[in-house]
Amino acid sequence: MIDLAASSPAVQAGALVGTILLEAVALYVGYGAVEQVAQPLVERITHT
């Protein structure tokens, strides 16, 4: 973990925003992959 306690508030805020954006992208890609895998199963369940 990087210690940003000694950094300026602007650097801390930038790091926080960057971390949140990276997490959002990871979740977007992850949920997209799960949806691609689960879609055939959902269609099979709904069409039976």
Side-chain angles (χ1 to χ4, degrees), residues 5 10 16 19 24 36-38 40-41 47:
L16 179 62
T19 302
Q36 290 293 323
V37 170
L41 178 62
H47 289 108

Side-chain angles (χ1 to χ4, degrees), residues 3 7-9 11-13 16-18 20-21 23-25 27-29 33-36 38 43-48:
D3 185 21
S7 300
S8 70
V11 172
Q12 290 177 355
L16 179 62
V17 169
I20 291 170
L21 286 174
E23 182 180 357
V25 169
L27 288 171
Y28 181 77
V29 170
V34 168
E35 183 180 4
Q36 290 293 323
E43 286 184 11
R44 191 177 296 168
I45 291 171
T46 58
H47 289 108
T48 55

